Amino acid sequence: MSKYKLPEPYGDVDLSLLADLALANGISGHEKEVAAVFKSWVADAVDRIEYDNLGSIVAVKEGKEAGPKLMFAGHIDEIGFLVKNIDENGYLKLHPVGGWWGHVLPSQPVIVVTRNEKMYTGVIGSKAPHGMKPEVRNKVMDIADLYVDLGVSSKEEVTHALGVQIGDMIVPKADFHVLANPNYLMSKAWDDRIGAAIVVDVMRNLKDVTTDATIYGVGTVQEEVGLRGAKTAAQKINPDVAITLDVTIATDTPGEDGRIKLGVGATLEVMDGSYIGHKGLLYYLQDLSEELGIENQLEMLAAGGTDSGEIHKVHDGVISLTVSIPARYIHSHYGIVHRKDYADTVKLLTEFSKRLNADLLAKLKSYKQV
């Protein structure tokens, strides 16, 4: 018998929080269910709950009068679809909300959510390969050619019996899994429910802590369609410092360069396609992570953006950085993340929240001044 044993679970990670957020249904523009879950986990730890007019939820922990304002942002929307059309046989055509690769969709289950919050399971149809020509078999399906089969016989059953209408939300249907090595967690919607969970956990850690900074833990909406909730929430808050929590693309799978790995610790994003990280804040968090014994890796994302892209441009500018959680297989029905990345990021940002005061804010601002 082998003497090798799988590792024990890393850190103190509340899987109930992660599962509740990940499995909630909420594509861009339809985040109400996710916001309710976010609120249920954070409300007891903060002084008040607010909202912007797009639906971003803002949990506020008051600091000292005239202290800095610190914003944490994790977007609560996920990618999915809207019902685009219903044909005479009851099949639903899809309008994508967020970025999908057609290759990952055939034969995958989905949930259709109606105006009255009724939920119906269906499957994205696929053709059997038997007798299929190579040029058809080897081609990625165009989303315009895909459809949802609800197991009905007519349009009337869909519209009149089920109450499904044009514009209803369609979300991936998935489960939450702790994998063979229990540090690896698999679910839908890690982009970006893992970031939202970090926001909640940091706020919960600070419940009985007196901080100089007033801290705003925000679940932003409509990130996947243009960073929209981040802009309105940041306009509302006008923070001095903002840290976005979002996933990044893990490259530790076959055929990739292996540079961004799961299970390292904290991943600090130098830049992405929407912003350049504030170097003063980047270097401070890099040094703080090393002081706390947390490993870190630096990420540069050439394409794509995060909520920092809108937050950093608010008013006269916000000291901003994205802290990333590497994830495999994002923008599909299942992604994989690592407990260590989650736990270490929560630890790092909890400590930063405790240390942010007027002197540290002045130091961060002075980094850009000559």
Side-chain angles (χ1 to χ4, degrees):
M1 179 179 291
S2 172
K3 295 181 180 179
Y4 187 84
K5 294 183 178 180
L6 290 168
E8 294 294 319
Y10 182 91
D12 183 16
V13 178
D14 192 331
L15 296 185
S16 295
L17 165 62
L18 295 183
D20 278 359
L21 280 169
L23 298 181
N25 297 318
I27 68 171
S28 305
H30 298 72
E31 301 94 347
K32 188 173 181 180
E33 179 183 330
V34 195
V37 174
F38 186 101
K39 180 179 179 180
S40 72
W41 280 94
V42 78
D44 290 345
V46 298
D47 294 301
R48 65 183 186 276
I49 300 289
E50 300 176 347
Y51 299 87
D52 72 7
N53 290 329
L54 291 188
S56 295
I57 181 170
V58 184
V60 185
K61 175 182 171 56
E62 293 287 356
K64 294 183 179 178
E65 186 175 354
K69 292 193 286 186
L70 171 60
M71 175 180 178
F72 292 116
H75 72 86
I76 57 176
D77 58 317
E78 64 184 303
I79 63 169
F81 304 92
L82 298 176
V83 176
K84 183 178 182 179
N85 193 24
I86 306 167
D87 76 11
E88 292 304 314
N89 295 313
Y91 296 111
L92 312 182
K93 300 298 286 186
L94 304 168
H95 177 81
V97 177
W100 283 100
W101 183 34
H103 193 78
V104 303
L105 289 168
S107 295
Q108 293 294 333
V110 293
I111 297 172
V112 180
V113 184
T114 72
R115 172 181 174 175
N116 295 325
E117 300 183 352
K118 299 290 186 180
M119 294 188 288
Y120 301 102
T121 297
V123 64
I124 297 177
S126 64
K127 296 180 180 179
H130 305 71
M132 190 180 288
K133 295 180 180 180
E135 59 268 26
V136 176
R137 185 188 305 115
N138 296 330
K139 180 183 177 182
V140 175
M141 292 285 290
D142 192 306
I143 291 175
D145 296 326
L146 298 175
Y147 58 87
V148 174
D149 186 340
L150 285 174
V152 297
S153 62
S154 68
K155 182 176 183 177
E156 287 71 27
E157 288 186 12
V158 173
T159 57
H160 299 312
L162 303 184
V164 174
Q165 64 181 8
I166 304 301
D168 281 347
M169 172 172 66
I170 303 173
V171 295
K173 177 177 172 58
D175 299 310
F176 184 94
H177 299 275
V178 178
L179 299 181
N181 177 332
N183 289 305
Y184 291 82
L185 307 173
M186 185 170 75
S187 184
K188 77 172 182 73
W190 287 135
D191 184 10
D192 180 39
R193 306 291 168 68
I194 190 75
I198 289 171
V199 173
V200 168
D201 251 349
V202 170
M203 302 302 285
R204 284 156 56 88
N205 284 349
L206 297 170
K207 178 179 181 180
D208 298 317
V209 178
T210 299
T211 59
D212 280 23
T214 293
I215 302 169
Y216 301 82
V218 186
T220 60
V221 298
Q222 298 192 40
E223 189 271 354
E224 294 290 357
V225 291
L227 319 180
R228 297 170 186 172
K231 182 174 184 177
T232 53
Q235 290 281 3
K236 175 183 177 67
I237 295 166
N238 192 18
D240 297 296
V241 179
I243 296 175
T244 293
L245 288 310
D246 208 338
V247 295
T248 192
I249 299 169
T251 60
D252 57 356
T253 52
E256 301 290 345
D257 62 19
R259 188 173 58 84
I260 300 299
K261 299 178 174 64
L262 268 64
V264 169
T267 300
L268 309 177
E269 188 181 78
V270 177
M271 65 171 291
D272 61 34
S274 66
Y275 91 120
I276 298 172
H278 189 283
K279 285 297 181 67
L281 180 55
L282 173 70
Y283 295 150
Y284 183 86
L285 289 179
Q286 189 177 33
D287 291 344
L288 180 58
S289 66
E290 291 170 3
E291 177 187 334
L292 297 174
I294 296 172
E295 293 180 83
N296 64 80
Q297 57 186 344
L298 299 178
E299 164 69 318
M300 292 183 63
L301 194 62
T306 61
D307 277 343
S308 292
E310 286 295 338
I311 295 171
H312 82 288
K313 297 183 290 187
V314 164
H315 297 292
D316 59 346
V318 179
I319 296 170
S320 300
L321 191 76
T322 295
V323 178
S324 302
I325 307 299
R328 298 174 184 161
Y329 323 126
I330 62 172
H331 284 223
S332 70
H333 274 61
Y334 280 104
I336 297 176
V337 296
H338 197 283
R339 290 194 204 217
K340 187 175 190 296
D341 301 325
Y342 179 90
D344 284 356
T345 301
V346 169
K347 179 179 179 181
L348 174 64
L349 299 184
T350 299
E351 184 61 28
F352 177 72
S353 301
K354 296 175 181 177
R355 297 192 185 195
L356 182 61
N357 55 25
D359 290 340
L360 177 52
L361 178 59
K363 180 180 177 180
L364 294 175
K365 286 182 176 181
S366 70
Y367 185 84
K368 294 280 188 174
Q369 300 169 357
V370 294

